[in-house]
Amino acid sequence: MERELAMEIVRVTELAALNSARWMGRGKKNEADNAATEAMRKMFDTVAMDGTVVIGEGEMDEAPMLYIGERLGTGAAPEVDIAVDPLEGTNIVASGQANAMAVVAIAPKGCLLHAPDMYMDKLAVGPRARGKVHMDQSVTENLQAVAKANEKDISDVVAVVLDRPRHAALIEEIRQAGARIKLIANGDVAAAINTAFPERGVDILFGSGGAPEGVLAACALKCLGGDIMGRLLPETDEERQRCLEMGIKDINQVLMMEDLVRGEDAIFSATGVTDGDMLHGVRFLSKTKARTQTIVMRAKTGTVRFVDALHNLDKKVGWDRL
Ligand code: VTB
Ligand code: MG
Ligand code: MG
């Protein structure tokens, strides 16, 4: 993939963020999600690439989602796999809370995990703890390993976990092990990424969330030198069948970084929709000006860029004023 694609993908997440930010706090999560989705589709279709969505929210019958199998781009080379969450945190935007972002990752065709939209159990750490944790170890062993790798006492380690009833036993085990916990309402992509930035105060992500978010986090952590693994959690026979159809032979397998994102050629972009730990949200400065912040990274070089953009809305193609 040409490195210029990184800037194209920035445009995609920027437009999605701009359009969905108009729905902040309006209590309408579907509208916020649709705005992001439509914007992404529109902008993708100007990009010279032959892309296929291999993992994302929504399946074929759930239009207008960017559905799995949907083709994006002009159809010119290169052929790429796309992982997408047009709006990571629809509830966040609807309720006007922190940490929503528009997220896309691309990699050469065949390099991203092809899986249905279902739950995935995840474990993510930053570069210092790469290769030191494993889902086959207990939570306590992983906390001890990350404490050692990050040169901390276990009581200084912070585990980040989605605040869900299904995580009650996990939370209890983390407490028993003596580590601290940051419970988040939503947004485990940003949480996983934050493990790679020591100053952001989280050492390890545990627990289940969306599988698309797992692949997106894997792309980001590959660029950042961190580590992630996951296990799909199909809940019905139909979901199990869909996994098999998508080529996942052993559903219980622990999917390692290389299974989630193969090779060294992934590009990840996320633009803040609402303010978050990692990114500023969209600011509408006047009727015609808006500011966005995006993190864009390439695995090949490991370059991490924060793109601070000032948009002229009256000249912007694809911008939908509400
Ligand atoms: C997860 C998590 C996401 O939504 O998908 C969650 O990975 C949905 O899980 O970051 P629940 O069904 O438990 O709400 C997010 O928090 C936002 O998309
Ligand atoms: Mg979403
Ligand atoms: Mg999401």
Side-chain angles (χ1 to χ4, degrees), residues 57 85 88-89 119 122 162 164 166 186-188 209-210 213:
E57 284 184 359
D85 193 351
E88 158 63 349
Y119 283 109
K122 309 171 200 181
L162 275 168
R164 297 291 185 276
R166 64 178 183 267
N186 283 289
D188 69 352
E213 285 88 341

Side-chain angles (χ1 to χ4, degrees), residues 33 57 65 84-90 101 213:
D33 209 14
E57 284 184 359
M65 310 309 289
V84 60
D85 193 351
L87 188 51
E88 158 63 349
T90 49
M101 48 193 208
E213 285 88 341

Side-chain angles (χ1 to χ4, degrees), residues 1-3 5 9 49-55 76-83 105-114 215 219 222-223 258-268 297-300:
M1 296 190 304
E2 298 291 326
R3 66 182 186 191
L5 268 180
I9 300 309
M49 59 172 219
D50 179 359
T52 306
V53 177
V54 297
I55 188 161
E79 283 187 290
V80 300
D81 281 353
I82 301 170
I106 60 172
K109 185 180 164 75
C111 290
L112 297 183
L113 177 75
H114 191 174
V215 173
C219 292
K222 177 156 271 193
C223 299
E258 276 307 297
D259 301 310
L260 300 169
V261 197
R262 184 147 14 105
E264 293 305 320
D265 199 9
I267 301 175
F268 174 95
M297 354 189 210
R298 274 179 87 214
K300 209 173 227 174

Side-chain angles (χ1 to χ4, degrees), residues 209-251:
E213 285 88 341
V215 173
L216 287 162
C219 292
L221 285 168
K222 177 156 271 193
C223 299
L224 291 163
D227 205 0
I228 186 167
M229 62 198 77
R231 188 185 273 120
L232 290 167
L233 298 172
E235 288 174 328
T236 60
D237 285 343
E238 196 199 328
E239 285 189 348
R240 273 180 278 277
Q241 189 56 34
R242 298 268 298 131
C243 287
L244 293 173
E245 282 164 15
M246 290 192 186
I248 297 157
K249 291 182 198 84
D250 177 7
I251 292 166

Side-chain angles (χ1 to χ4, degrees), residues 9-221:
I9 300 309
V10 169
R11 290 193 180 88
V12 169
T13 56
E14 280 179 350
L15 191 67
L18 281 165
N19 286 10
S20 58
R22 303 294 300 187
W23 292 96
M24 187 176 116
R26 292 178 187 239
K28 298 207 159 108
K29 69 185 196 109
N30 291 337
E31 283 79 355
D33 209 14
N34 288 348
T37 305
E38 288 304 325
M40 278 199 177
R41 184 178 281 124
K42 227 182 272 179
M43 194 54 95
F44 259 129
D45 282 339
T46 69
V47 180
M49 59 172 219
D50 179 359
T52 306
V53 177
V54 297
I55 188 161
E57 284 184 359
E59 307 267 337
M60 188 78 87
D61 52 358
E62 287 178 78
M65 310 309 289
L66 287 171
Y67 58 84
I68 296 169
E70 183 168 343
R71 303 288 289 267
L72 294 168
T74 62
E79 283 187 290
V80 300
D81 281 353
I82 301 170
V84 60
D85 193 351
L87 188 51
E88 158 63 349
T90 49
N91 291 321
I92 304 177
V93 174
S95 56
Q97 292 173 348
N99 270 320
M101 48 193 208
V103 193
V104 162
I106 60 172
K109 185 180 164 75
C111 290
L112 297 183
L113 177 75
H114 191 174
D117 178 14
M118 59 169 60
Y119 283 109
M120 176 189 271
D121 195 17
K122 309 171 200 181
L123 180 63
V125 290
R128 293 178 295 175
R130 185 169 93 189
K132 308 273 165 56
V133 294
H134 201 289
M135 284 185 115
D136 289 342
Q137 292 179 174
S138 69
V139 168
T140 304
E141 284 168 326
N142 283 325
L143 287 166
Q144 286 163 345
V146 82
K148 190 167 174 223
N150 290 1
E151 298 179 355
K152 294 179 177 184
D153 290 331
I154 201 161
S155 56
D156 294 325
V157 166
V158 176
V160 57
V161 179
L162 275 168
D163 188 7
R164 297 291 185 276
R166 64 178 183 267
H167 291 151
L170 169 64
I171 289 167
E172 193 45 42
E173 193 171 350
I174 297 169
R175 288 183 180 147
Q176 287 296 328
R180 296 182 298 147
I181 300 180
K182 178 175 179 180
L183 281 179
I184 53 170
N186 283 289
D188 69 352
V189 177
I193 293 173
N194 283 338
T195 64
F197 292 87
E199 73 278 11
R200 298 219 178 120
V202 290
D203 299 280
I204 184 164
L205 169 99
F206 287 108
S208 59
E213 285 88 341
V215 173
L216 287 162
C219 292
L221 285 168

